Amino acid sequence: MRLKRQLDKVVKTRTLHRAARAKVPFPIVALVGYTNAGKSTLFNRLTGAEVMAKDMLFATLDPTMRRVVLPTGDEVILSDTVGFISDLPTELVAAFRATLEEVLDADLVLHVRDIGHAQTAEQAREVETILSGLGLPDDTPKIEVWNKIDTLDEEAHEAALERAGRTESVSAVSAVTGEGMEALLAAISQALGGVKHLETLVVPFAAGRKRAWLFDQGLVEGDTPTEEGHEMQIRWSAAQKARYERL
Ligand SMILES: Nc1nc2c(ncn2[C@@H]2O[C@H](COP(=O)(O)OP(=O)(O)O)[C@@H](O)[C@H]2O)c(=O)[nH]1
Ligand SMILES: [Mg+2]
């Protein structure tokens, strides 16, 4: 009974998080992958412990969700995921399903693989099966992150890097040594280039030309005059936002 109550609480908290998260004005990047693939290690490397203190809102909202500023200046929310385990006890299925379902909100999915594991192919298939079982839309952009390349022998290590170099949807990294992180961040920016997110701007009355550009581009979802200017709901990609800022 106690376990059941705790699980109900987990599910309820997750639901609240989802509601809060829906308002986050940044693309969401979800880490998925087999148990022990290195998701949490990669999450910590990409976000860095110091981000936690600077970003208390997200830190308190959910410790598995943190802001990352990409080298391009784009901001994303990186979300760690637990629960990619086969043969869960029945009582745990509901709680883990709730955490897994957060993946459905993602604009980009990073499928983290332990590329040095003897069963890496089987593990990847199992994760793909879970994702399609959850109903992840087929057109959700995905990057396969071949993690733990530091555990490969020299030849396999080179082969992994070479393959990643010529395959847009594959990155080869080591979350432990940091190798491949820059290329991974660039791949994330590239994959998110076309993803649109909703943002609220206050456009000063003097910036009529910029406001007209937003309408011309068909980006406006709401427009309310306030004392400071026009409060506008804009749905745009990082590239469109960058263009607006250069106007
Ligand atoms: N050698 C090596 N070990 C790694 C790497 N990434 C993660 N690990 C180790 O793999 C284990 C599982 O990592 P964890 O991040 O907890 O995996 P998760 O279950 O997917 O979150 C830990 O012992 C990590 O230190 C890596 O790139 N190289
Ligand atoms: Mg983990």
Side-chain angles (χ1 to χ4, degrees):
M1 226 16 237
R2 215 175 126 243
L3 178 64
K4 171 85 172 65
R5 266 204 309 279
Q6 284 177 352
L7 289 179
D8 285 348
K9 192 165 163 247
V10 168
V11 171
K12 193 167 163 222
T13 315
R14 288 283 165 184
T15 307
L16 291 172
H17 286 170
R18 281 194 88 182
R21 196 172 303 196
K23 299 196 191 87
V24 168
F26 309 117
I28 293 176
V29 177
L31 293 171
V32 305
Y34 208 83
T35 310
N36 275 321
K39 296 179 294 294
S40 298
T41 310
L42 182 64
F43 178 80
N44 286 328
R45 172 160 295 268
L46 289 174
T47 59
E50 74 280 6
V51 178
M52 195 81 168
K54 274 194 267 163
D55 205 3
M56 282 314 285
L57 169 63
F58 293 121
T60 47
L61 189 62
D62 187 341
T64 64
M65 184 169 102
R66 285 190 210 153
R67 193 173 61 132
V68 178
V69 181
L70 301 175
T72 48
D74 298 331
E75 293 180 27
V76 304
I77 299 296
L78 193 66
S79 161
D80 193 7
T81 311
V82 290
F84 278 84
I85 313 162
S86 40
D87 303 325
L88 278 178
T90 320
E91 311 153 302
L92 290 174
V93 169
F96 277 110
R97 194 178 164 86
T99 80
L100 289 183
E101 279 175 354
E102 296 184 356
V103 172
L104 302 178
D105 293 338
D107 298 291
L108 171 67
V109 168
L110 302 186
H111 177 177
V112 182
R113 294 177 56 184
D114 175 351
I115 207 65
H117 195 285
Q119 265 87 50
T120 188
E122 289 84 346
Q123 292 181 343
R125 271 199 296 277
E126 202 165 320
V127 169
E128 294 296 343
T129 302
I130 292 173
L131 290 177
S132 39
L134 282 171
L136 184 76
D138 281 341
D139 58 355
T140 304
K142 221 183 285 170
I143 297 175
E144 264 198 32
V145 181
W146 291 1
N147 189 34
K148 307 199 189 184
I149 54 169
D150 61 295
T151 65
L152 301 175
D153 65 37
E154 206 181 314
E155 200 179 319
H157 184 261
E158 281 314 307
L161 288 174
E162 194 270 329
R163 170 78 190 281
R166 64 184 158 78
T167 315
E168 207 171 288
S169 57
V170 173
S171 282
V173 305
S174 167
V176 163
T177 68
E179 185 178 7
M181 286 305 140
E182 277 175 30
L184 173 59
L185 289 170
I188 294 172
S189 292
Q190 170 86 25
L192 288 173
V195 172
K196 294 191 176 185
H197 59 278
L198 188 67
E199 200 167 333
T200 301
L201 298 183
V202 178
V203 181
F205 293 116
R209 199 171 64 87
K210 292 181 103 169
R211 184 162 166 268
W213 183 87
L214 293 168
F215 278 108
D216 277 353
Q217 299 289 311
L219 307 178
V220 181
E221 292 198 355
D223 181 28
T224 316
T226 68
E227 278 174 20
E228 291 81 42
H230 289 272
E231 187 178 295
M232 302 182 73
Q233 270 74 48
I234 306 298
R235 189 176 296 279
W236 54 8
S237 67
Q240 287 168 322
K241 179 178 177 167
R243 220 174 305 145
Y244 171 82
E245 280 164 0
R246 287 195 301 270
L247 285 178

